[in-house]
Amino acid sequence: MGFPLKDITIYHEGEIIVDAPMYWEFRTKANFIADFYHDRMGGYKPPKTGRICIRFVERTNCRNSHYFGSICTSEITIDANTYLNLTEAQKSRYILDLLHTSIIDLADVYNWEKKYFQDAYDYIIQSDFQFRRKYSSKQSPGRKHTACVVLEKTETQAALRVLITGESRVDKVILEKKNWYWWDSTYKLAKQCKWLDNHSFGFAKDGKKCCLSIVSEEVTNDFEFGERDF
């Protein structure tokens, strides 16, 4: 089957927009949007491509691209002064539009299937930049309830929400942590969520658990995530 596309990363080159580690406003937006875009591509992997790196540069006529191994890199001009004078919502749209334009350029050059990129772009616009990924539902052992986990992300936070329906209906967030974008552990944790018994849905590891009970309607979370924990 081969390896999936690991990530899409936006880089910045210039002095007008102050990037991390000095100032995080641009970086958090860029990381959030790149992660969101990648997530909505339906698992599509451009041929022989393990990563896509898009460089936003503060100079004109930048539309070059090249491969280094399986890493595809492209650059596109960002009008830094225009960006800085936009509202927060407009900044997000501007970053998304630049990213999408650059990706479509790459698709033209390397004959990638554009549908997956267009679907990702359209979804983000239609969702008004609200990241919400719902995973497959699972039936309880007693077949009286169905549960699913929903991954919700903002520019800074990632959360796992559990929705339980059936004889009882419960909807609660079981985990909140800092968002580490495409390498955030919530992607793996969401896939691990299951019925731990006939009454609790979540995940468990090394004697610890994070779950929602349909009996008490309370969350049990034995896991702690610090600022630097992925």
Side-chain angles (χ1 to χ4, degrees), residues 69-192:
S70 65
I71 301 174
C72 183
T73 299
S74 180
E75 59 183 26
I76 189 169
T77 299
I78 182 171
D79 187 326
N81 289 312
T82 293
Y83 173 81
L84 292 175
N85 284 289
L86 298 174
T87 65
E88 293 303 304
Q90 290 170 337
K91 286 177 179 177
S92 295
R93 178 63 183 265
Y94 187 49
I95 291 173
L96 175 62
D97 286 346
L98 283 183
L99 172 64
H100 185 59
T101 297
S102 189
I103 293 286
I104 293 300
D105 281 352
L106 291 173
D108 285 332
V109 172
Y110 298 111
N111 197 31
W112 296 348
E113 296 186 46
K114 294 182 181 179
K115 174 185 182 301
Y116 299 96
F117 307 115
Q118 191 62 51
D119 286 348
Y121 177 83
D122 291 343
Y123 182 93
I124 295 173
I125 296 298
Q126 292 166 10
S127 70
D128 195 25
F129 292 81
Q130 303 298 307
F131 189 118
R132 194 172 188 271
R133 180 178 179 180
K134 186 176 181 180
Y135 289 77
S136 299
S137 298
K138 299 177 181 179
Q139 195 170 51
S140 65
R143 300 184 177 275
K144 293 182 179 180
H145 296 90
T146 299
C148 72
V149 63
V150 180
L151 173 57
E152 300 175 335
K153 287 190 173 188
T154 66
E155 291 181 10
T156 58
Q157 298 293 310
L160 292 180
R161 176 182 297 277
V162 169
L163 308 176
I164 299 177
T165 57
E167 290 186 352
S168 300
R169 181 178 179 87
V170 193
D171 174 355
K172 286 192 176 182
V173 170
I174 64 170
L175 175 69
E176 290 182 285
K177 62 183 292 297
K178 183 176 180 179
N179 186 7
W180 287 98
Y181 312 105
W182 45 91
W183 59 82
D184 195 274
S185 61
T186 48
Y187 284 113
K188 290 184 178 180
L189 295 175
K191 292 179 180 179
Q192 294 171 11

Side-chain angles (χ1 to χ4, degrees), residues 56-67:
F56 287 9
V57 295
E58 295 179 10
R59 61 177 188 273
T60 58
N61 301 320
C62 292
R63 300 293 278 270
N64 302 314
S65 65
H66 66 273
Y67 268 91

